[in-house]
Amino acid sequence: MSEIITITNQKGGVGKTTTASALVCGLHQRGARVLGIDLDPQGNLGFTLGLDIGEGYTIYDVLKKSQPIEKAIVSTDYGDILPSDIMLSAAEVEFTAPRREFMLEQYLREIRSKYDFIIIDTPPSLNILTINAYVASNSLIVPMEAEILSLVGITQLQETIITVRDTFNPNLKVLGILLNKFNPRLILSQEVLELAQEVARQLGSRVFDTKIRRSTNVAMAPAHGQSVITYSPKSNPALDLQEIVNVVAGERFRLPTENR
């Protein structure tokens, strides 16, 4: 049975897709069977991993019941991808049937035995798509920038996670908060770290020991249809993200120390 991990934060620009694409690629490099699911109508995960957005079927077609999930999955050099496009932006008003929170979970039942890991990238909002991801998942990773404004709205995120636990998925856990664009020499970064640790404690979780350092390679990689860990594997953020992949991978898929 696969481990289903959602990358989530209702704030945009905090590194969700960067984290999701790194996990998909990194786990695939380690020999794991991986599926990346793009639940963001912007389609950034598919674009980042080289897909031609607008071609073929998407998660929208699956949720609309117009195509089986197997037909929408695309195999790539970096793992399997279930892409998205702008049509998914209508989800909040289109998907109104009872138990709509369980749509994704029901479809993943059909395929989850084929994968070791399923990584879900979510939109920058707490809507029905995000709730579906939480209901279907075993765990969450919460990326955030090392700045004060990234802490704004975390209370709402906490409330949503608690509500999902109480109502739909009591086994949902938070693997950790991942600090992005972190500079340990800045007082601000240290202050944000302390506040993030308090938030993590309230969620029964932690801040990951590894923080993601800044680099222009992160912004450049999607234009080349790659994650930063394949585009610039020796860059600081790629090395940092590989450490996060190792945490997720566990002993079975952990990269040997000499290959890091």
Side-chain angles (χ1 to χ4, degrees), residues 119-138:
I119 308 299
I120 305 175
D121 191 19
T122 54
S125 59
L126 294 174
N127 58 18
I128 190 59
L129 297 172
T130 308
I131 299 301
N132 264 262
Y134 289 9
V135 171
S137 295
N138 305 110

Side-chain angles (χ1 to χ4, degrees), residues 22 53 56 72 96 117 126 180 202 209 222 228 257:
I53 304 303
T96 58
F117 296 94
L126 294 174
N180 192 21
Q202 294 173 16
D209 291 337
V228 68
T257 302

Side-chain angles (χ1 to χ4, degrees), residues 83-247:
S84 174
D85 64 17
I86 196 62
M87 294 298 294
L88 194 59
S89 60
E92 196 70 44
V93 294
E94 285 196 37
F95 302 133
T96 58
R99 291 178 61 81
R100 65 179 187 153
E101 297 87 359
F102 291 86
M103 292 186 298
L104 181 63
E105 188 267 342
Q106 291 168 353
Y107 286 112
L108 292 187
R109 285 184 205 168
E110 303 172 18
I111 60 164
R112 65 181 299 177
S113 63
K114 299 179 181 179
Y115 297 100
D116 299 302
F117 296 94
I118 297 175
I119 308 299
I120 305 175
D121 191 19
T122 54
S125 59
L126 294 174
N127 58 18
I128 190 59
L129 297 172
T130 308
I131 299 301
N132 264 262
Y134 289 9
V135 171
S137 295
N138 305 110
S139 54
L140 309 175
I141 292 176
V142 183
M144 59 172 286
E145 283 191 79
E147 60 178 38
I148 296 299
L149 288 179
S150 280
L151 289 166
V152 176
I154 289 291
T155 299
Q156 185 182 2
L157 181 66
Q158 288 177 268
E159 292 173 354
T160 302
I161 293 170
I162 292 169
T163 298
V164 171
R165 282 173 174 166
D166 291 344
T167 310
F168 304 117
N169 183 1
N171 298 316
L172 182 66
K173 63 180 182 293
V174 179
L175 278 182
I177 293 175
L178 179 61
L179 285 180
N180 192 21
K181 300 180 182 178
F182 188 79
N183 186 342
R185 293 173 295 179
L186 296 179
I187 294 175
L188 175 61
S189 290
Q190 294 299 329
E191 290 176 345
V192 171
L193 172 57
E194 292 176 7
L195 293 170
Q197 287 170 333
E198 175 59 23
V199 172
R201 186 192 64 77
Q202 294 173 16
L203 290 170
S205 185
R206 56 170 174 163
V207 176
F208 286 110
D209 291 337
T210 300
K211 320 298 188 296
I212 312 304
R213 290 168 285 179
R214 289 180 179 270
S215 171
T216 57
N217 289 302
V218 173
M220 294 169 64
H224 296 266
Q226 297 185 54
S227 163
V228 68
I229 69 171
T230 56
Y231 173 72
S232 183
K234 298 300 183 182
S235 65
N236 285 336
L239 296 173
D240 297 337
L241 285 163
Q242 286 283 19
E243 292 296 330
I244 300 301
V245 178
N246 264 342
V247 172

Side-chain angles (χ1 to χ4, degrees), residues 35-46:
L35 172 65
I37 298 179
D38 196 343
L39 274 188
D40 187 344
Q42 298 177 80
N44 287 338
L45 180 62

